[in-house]
Amino acid sequence: MRILMGAQNCGFGPASVLVAVSRLLPGHERVFVGDGVAAAFARRNAGAFDGIHDVLLDRLLQESDWVVSAMDADLVLRAVAARRPVVLVDCLFGFWQHRQPLTRIRELCATVPCTSLVGLTPHERILAAHLLADHSVVQNFPGMSRRLAEFADCSIHLTGPLVDLEGLREAKDGEPDYDYDLLINVGGFKNFLLDFEANDHYLRLVDRWIPDLLADWPRFTRVLVCGGPYAGRRGGTHRTTSGQRVDRRFLPQRELLRHVARTPHSLVAPGLSALHEATLLGRLPLALPEQHYAHAYTVRNLADTLFGHLAARFADVLPGYAPPEDDYAGTEALMAAAGRIVEDDALYARFRGTFNERIERYLALTPEQRRGGVAELRDVLDGPPAASVIASILAAAR
């Protein structure tokens, strides 16, 4: 069976989910199509696919038996218009906001492909894609029951973590290329607003902060900083005058997993894929401040866990600060907060001090507390095995 696959261009989360799903489908021809940050991730993990294309041609759709979309609403709409069966995979199903009533979105979907959904917001288009898809696979998260009830008439399948299970097993047994004391993972970063060269306030804050981190914590002698931004000019190796080493790299996913498994301490942008991978490898990471609104949503909904209690937030530095409850406006506010802090020496000093307090609390955790924090997250985020759910969908299709 030939499966056409694509992912939303927002950070590495959707693309990493797509790679994980693709690796669950051995024996099928898996063809990725897409550009931007999703394509960069797919190419860095090309072994998960049998072919990679930059442009979605009608021929690719027509020659495919199924389409699998990781949160890419437009790909779902193209598949529906081409009358190809489509599965929508979503790790943020409860996150999507809608201004129009779902009844109105359902009415618009009933006319597809005769009319477009151009009047819907990006979030509403993803909800519409769930209504239009033949099947949806949604990752468990706190508060999921209410959204599932709203879509009770759809073929939606709840799963646990959508991650590369084979890669996780290999990571537990394999040896990394280099041993590190600390892993800092900023993820893909790039989305509808943030970029590596423009609106990069957060990355400039990280660039300013890492030398101070090394000065404040001489115990970290070997540090790996990884993510999409380090494929370019921000990448490379640096040694301090005291002999500390910092490697900035954009790693293939399975190589990164080996380091997650073997590095004792990690700081991560609070995306769900990185959090799932860490906890399934028995590691409790410390959350970096939020890059965008989805990160704020994740941390807020995990506030009652040890991970949530420890998570760094820009509100620690800017008292009373709260990003708007909107994806674009909230991300814009978080970007502005990072910009204020990196440009203002007094705010930066407060950022450095408050984050050092978080690191101190994180490092003081006992092994029992870390294991408890990992078990707590696994319990909150657990669900039916993704491999079984996806296999049952394709088996029924045959």
Side-chain angles (χ1 to χ4, degrees), residues 7-8 10-20 32 37-39 41-42 49 70:
Q8 184 190 55
C10 281
F12 282 162
S16 69
V17 165
L18 188 73
V19 165
F32 174 88
V37 69
F41 190 91
F49 304 100

Side-chain angles (χ1 to χ4, degrees), residues 284-286 302-311 361 365-366 368-374 376-377:
L284 181 70
L286 175 63
L302 296 175
D304 292 334
T305 67
L306 179 58
F307 172 81
H309 286 306
L310 289 173
R361 290 169 56 192
L365 294 174
T366 66
E368 292 77 16
Q369 288 172 320
R370 289 175 182 269
R371 285 193 293 269
V374 167
E376 181 180 44
L377 283 173

Side-chain angles (χ1 to χ4, degrees), residues 221-241:
T221 60
R222 296 157 298 178
V223 179
L224 173 61
V225 185
C226 58
Y230 304 108
R233 64 176 179 83
R234 286 186 165 90
T237 296
H238 171 73
R239 290 188 183 272
T240 68
T241 55

Side-chain angles (χ1 to χ4, degrees), residues 218-288:
R219 66 183 290 172
F220 298 136
T221 60
R222 296 157 298 178
V223 179
L224 173 61
V225 185
C226 58
Y230 304 108
R233 64 176 179 83
R234 286 186 165 90
T237 296
H238 171 73
R239 290 188 183 272
T240 68
T241 55
S242 60
Q244 292 163 292
R245 170 175 170 156
V246 181
D247 292 330
R248 295 174 172 86
R249 300 169 64 192
F250 175 21
L251 300 173
Q253 184 70 355
R254 288 189 168 178
E255 184 178 345
L256 172 59
L257 291 178
R258 292 200 298 271
H259 289 297
V260 174
R262 301 290 175 172
T263 306
H265 307 296
S266 61
L267 314 177
V268 301
L272 281 174
S273 292
L275 188 57
H276 279 303
E277 290 159 355
T279 55
L280 290 174
L281 288 169
R283 298 294 185 185
L284 181 70
L286 175 63
L288 294 164

Side-chain angles (χ1 to χ4, degrees), residues 43-59:
R43 292 185 185 283
R44 191 54 62 102
N45 298 277
F49 304 100
D50 300 296
I52 295 177
H53 297 266
D54 296 323
V55 180
L56 177 55
L57 303 174
D58 290 339
R59 174 182 57 81

